[in-house]
Amino acid sequence: MNLPILKIEHKCPECGLQKDGFFCCVSDDSLDLFQVTKITNTYPAGSMLFIEGQPANGVYILCQGSVKLYTCSQDGKVVILHIAKPGEILGLSAIVAGGEYEVSAEVLEPCQINFVRRKEFLDLIEKRSDVAMRAVEHLSQQYYDAYDQIRSFGLTNSVAGKLAALMLSWCRDTGNGYGAVRLKLPFTHEEIAEMIGTSRETVTRLLKDFRQDELITLKGSDLLIHDPERLRSVVTRPRGSRARS
Amino acid sequence: MNLPILKIEHKCPECGLQKDGFFCCVSDDSLDLFQVTKITNTYPAGSMLFIEGQPANGVYILCQGSVKLYTCSQDGKVVILHIAKPGEILGLSAIVAGGEYEVSAEVLEPCQINFVRRKEFLDLIEKRSDVAMRAVEHLSQQYYDAYDQIRSFGLTNSVAGKLAALMLSWCRDTGNGYGAVRLKLPFTHEEIAEMIGTSRETVTRLLKDFRQDELITLKGSDLLIHDPERLRSVVTRPRGSRARS
DNA sequence: CGGGCACAGTGATTGCGGTCACATCGTCAT
DNA sequence: ATGACGATGTGACCGCAATCACTGTGCCCG
C-alpha cells in the first residue's frame, strides 16, 4: 500500500493548517484548552471512524485528508451525504442531538484527525463562547449543504441534471472563478452514482453523453469542464432534450 | 375567512407554551434579555415570513401555529423541506452562515411569532452560553431531519416507499407508541407530492392503493394508519411487489 | 341558484432510467 | 505470463411514474 507521507502536527497553536473556516480557528485561550483535551491520530484510507447507529462518544476534527459520510439501507443501497475536507468537524450533531452517530464515516485519503470526547467537547462549547459560535457556524453550513442536496434530489427532473449539479459543486470548490475548470476526479462511477442517487451504469452513460455534447473532457481521472454556464443549463433542462450537434 | 382565535402571549416568562424542546426554554436571565429584544406578531394563513434569497435580517421563533418551509426551481417545481411546529426557530442558519434566507417560509395555520433582529440575536448567543447551547441543539436536530429526508429521497426505490416513510414520520409525531394511529391530514395531495418529490396524480393513486391493501383508511382529511409495522415493510419492499389480497 | 375554483380521481401514453448480462481494460500479486 | 479483481463500457429489456387530458366533487361567494 502506498501511504502518502503525512506530516503530523501535534501542537494546534503551531499548526500551519489553521485557515479561515477551520473549526479550530478560535481564540488562543480556547485553543490552549482544546490542545489538552484532544487526541491526535492518523488513519489510512479505508478506515471507519464511526458507523451509523453507534453511540456517539466524541467528535472528530479533520486536520488532513478526506472522509466520506454516508448512510445505507438494509438491502445495501448507499447514499453518500458528504465528502468532508480538512477543517471540518464530524459527529457534532450526533453528540448534541442524538447520542448516536446518524451516518457512517470512512476515510478516503489518509487522515490526521483530532478526537475530543463528548463530555469534554460539550464543556468546551459551554465555557468558551467563541467555540460555541464556531459550532453554530459549522452546523449552519452543514445544514445549508444538506438542503442543497435535497434540492438536487427533489427539484432536478432528470438524472443528467443531478450529475450536472454535482459537477457544478465541484467547480465551486476547485474553480478559480469562471471559465473552464480542470480537476482530478477522486471518485469512481459507483461513488458518483451514490452521491446523486442513481445507478453506476447510468453515470457511465451520462459521462459519455456529456463528452459527446462537448460539455466535458475526461481522460482517466482528469476531468475538464469546458463551460460551467452550459452545464448549468443542463440542470434545469427538461427531460430528454439534448444539445443538437 | 375563519380565523381561529389565537390567545397572544406577550410576556415570555409567563408563557404557558414553553415546553421541553422549545427554543425559548432557557434560563430566567436569558429569557429576560430575550423578552426586551423580541417583537411579537401574528400572521394569518398564507402569509410569507420570508422568501428564498432575501437578505436574512433576523430569526422567527414560532410560538403557535405551523409554517411550511420550501424551495422552488425556476420552472415552478416545489419541494417542501419542513413543516415547522411551535417551539422551533426559523432562519437561524441563514443569519449565521449565508446572510440570505435559503428557503421560503409560508404560514399554514395562523401563527404567533417572535421576531429578533440578526445582530441582537447574535449578541444573545455570544453572551449567553445557554442560548448558544440551545442554538446548537436546534441546528443539530434540523440537520438530522434534513439527512432523514435525503435518506428518503436516495434510499427508497419506489415512490410508494417514500409515501410510506412520510406517513411513518407522521406516526412518530402523533402516535402514542404502537398500534393504529389516527390523525388529521392538514395537507392536500399536491403538498404531499411536494414533500416526497413526486406528482399529485401519483399521490392520489398511491393513496388508493394503500386503501385497497388495507394499510390505511382515509375519509375526508381523517387518516387512520392501521399498522405502522406493515407500512414499514412497504418502505423497503422492492419495486412493484404489492400485498396479495 | 349558478358560476367559479381548488382539490380529487382516473385513463392513456410514453420515455427515462433501473436492472441484468457480458465484454473490455488496467492494475495488482504471485 | 497469468489469473484475479475492480472499474468501465455497452446492449437489450421493460416497468414505474411523469405527463396530458379529462371528469367528478365539494365549497364559497356574488
Side-chain angles (χ1 to χ4, degrees):
Chain A
M1 200 186 290
N2 55 344
L3 274 180
I5 305 95
L6 279 184
K7 184 170 160 23
I8 312 301
E9 183 59 74
H10 288 282
K11 296 176 187 162
C12 289
E14 301 173 5
C15 169
L17 300 169
Q18 265 191 69
K19 280 187 292 195
D20 267 1
F22 268 51
F23 185 81
C24 45
C25 189
V26 290
S27 71
D28 290 348
D29 288 358
S30 300
L31 206 54
D32 288 343
L33 273 175
F34 180 70
Q35 170 71 25
V36 297
T37 55
K38 80 177 174 59
I39 300 163
T40 302
N41 217 330
T42 61
Y43 300 83
S47 321
M48 298 299 302
L49 294 182
F50 49 81
I51 294 174
E52 194 174 353
Q54 279 182 342
N57 37 36
V59 293
Y60 297 78
I61 291 144
L62 184 50
C63 307
Q64 305 177 63
S66 68
V67 173
K68 171 168 83 176
L69 298 180
Y70 67 91
T71 178
C72 56
S73 60
Q74 290 105 334
D75 56 343
K77 202 172 180 190
V78 174
V79 176
I80 295 178
L81 297 155
H82 183 64
I83 305 293
K85 294 290 178 186
E88 291 189 46
I89 178 168
L90 311 177
L92 175 51
S93 63
I95 67 161
V96 173
E100 287 183 359
Y101 294 114
E102 71 276 15
V103 297
S104 301
E106 178 189 332
V107 172
L108 283 183
E109 296 168 284
C111 286
Q112 177 192 337
I113 290 174
N114 288 335
F115 177 81
V116 179
R117 272 181 236 289
R118 175 195 163 93
K119 195 167 177 337
E120 291 171 9
F121 190 83
L122 291 179
D123 275 1
L124 199 59
I125 60 177
E126 183 82 34
K127 293 214 182 73
R128 308 287 320 175
S129 73
D130 61 329
V131 178
M133 199 59 207
R134 269 259 171 284
V136 171
E137 281 170 14
H138 264 70
L139 281 168
S140 295
Q141 187 57 47
Q142 287 175 6
Y143 181 66
Y144 186 85
D145 290 345
Y147 268 15
D148 238 28
Q149 195 165 358
I150 296 178
R151 250 183 284 264
S152 156
F153 273 74
L155 290 180
T156 324
N157 36 20
S158 73
V159 177
K162 291 197 188 95
L163 180 57
L166 178 64
M167 286 183 172
L168 285 172
S169 78
W170 294 340
C171 289
R172 251 169 279 139
D173 294 344
T174 330
N176 37 9
Y178 283 78
V181 178
R182 183 181 302 277
L183 51 89
K184 264 222 173 302
L185 258 194
F187 309 117
T188 67
H189 291 186
E190 178 114 46
E191 286 172 319
I192 296 173
E194 288 165 355
M195 293 184 206
I196 58 178
T198 184
S199 68
R200 200 261 314 158
E201 295 92 325
T202 300
V203 170
T204 302
R205 279 187 253 266
L206 283 176
L207 287 175
K208 196 178 86 170
D209 289 350
F210 282 11
R211 258 185 298 205
Q212 285 179 351
D213 292 349
E214 291 176 344
L215 288 163
I216 61 169
T217 306
L218 184 58
K219 196 169 284 178
S221 65
D222 288 312
L223 174 67
L224 174 65
I225 295 166
H226 296 149
D227 182 5
E229 276 314 312
R230 279 184 56 215
L231 255 193
R232 206 178 313 278
S233 72
V234 175
V235 177
T236 48
R237 179 189 298 167
R239 284 182 165 222
S241 72
R242 284 267 301 282
R244 50 251 165 279
S245 53
Chain B
M1 198 186 292
N2 57 345
L3 273 180
I5 305 95
L6 280 183
K7 185 169 159 22
I8 311 301
E9 183 58 75
H10 289 281
K11 296 177 186 160
C12 288
E14 301 172 5
C15 169
L17 301 169
Q18 266 192 68
K19 281 188 292 199
D20 266 3
F22 268 50
F23 185 81
C24 45
C25 189
V26 289
S27 71
D28 290 347
D29 287 357
S30 298
L31 206 54
D32 288 342
L33 272 175
F34 180 69
Q35 170 71 27
V36 296
T37 54
K38 81 178 172 62
I39 300 163
T40 302
N41 217 331
T42 61
Y43 300 84
S47 322
M48 298 300 301
L49 294 181
F50 49 80
I51 293 174
E52 195 174 353
Q54 279 181 341
N57 36 35
V59 294
Y60 297 78
I61 292 145
L62 184 51
C63 307
Q64 306 178 61
S66 67
V67 173
K68 172 168 85 175
L69 297 180
Y70 67 91
T71 178
C72 57
S73 58
Q74 291 105 332
D75 56 344
K77 203 172 180 189
V78 174
V79 176
I80 295 177
L81 297 155
H82 183 63
I83 304 294
K85 294 289 177 187
E88 289 188 48
I89 179 168
L90 312 177
L92 175 50
S93 63
I95 67 161
V96 173
E100 289 183 358
Y101 293 114
E102 71 276 16
V103 297
S104 301
E106 178 189 332
V107 172
L108 282 183
E109 296 168 283
C111 287
Q112 178 193 336
I113 291 175
N114 288 335
F115 178 81
V116 179
R117 272 181 235 289
R118 175 195 163 94
K119 195 167 178 339
E120 292 171 10
F121 190 84
L122 291 179
D123 275 0
L124 199 59
I125 60 177
E126 184 82 34
K127 294 214 181 72
R128 309 286 321 175
S129 72
D130 61 328
V131 178
M133 199 60 206
R134 270 260 171 283
V136 171
E137 281 170 12
H138 263 71
L139 281 168
S140 295
Q141 188 56 48
Q142 288 176 5
Y143 180 66
Y144 187 85
D145 290 344
Y147 269 15
D148 240 27
Q149 195 165 359
I150 296 177
R151 250 183 285 265
S152 157
F153 273 74
L155 291 180
T156 325
N157 36 21
S158 72
V159 177
K162 291 198 188 100
L163 180 57
L166 178 64
M167 286 184 172
L168 284 172
S169 77
W170 294 340
C171 290
R172 251 169 279 139
D173 294 344
T174 329
N176 37 10
Y178 283 79
V181 178
R182 184 182 303 277
L183 52 88
K184 263 221 172 307
L185 259 194
F187 308 117
T188 67
H189 291 186
E190 178 112 46
E191 284 172 320
I192 296 173
E194 288 165 355
M195 291 184 207
I196 59 178
T198 184
S199 69
R200 200 259 316 160
E201 296 93 323
T202 301
V203 170
T204 302
R205 279 186 253 265
L206 283 175
L207 287 175
K208 196 177 86 170
D209 289 350
F210 282 11
R211 259 186 297 206
Q212 285 179 352
D213 292 350
E214 291 176 344
L215 288 164
I216 62 169
T217 307
L218 185 57
K219 195 169 287 177
S221 65
D222 288 312
L223 174 67
L224 174 67
I225 295 165
H226 297 148
D227 182 6
E229 276 313 313
R230 281 184 54 218
L231 254 192
R232 207 179 312 278
S233 72
V234 175
V235 177
T236 48
R237 180 188 299 168
R239 285 181 164 224
S241 71
R242 283 267 300 283
R244 52 252 166 277
S245 52

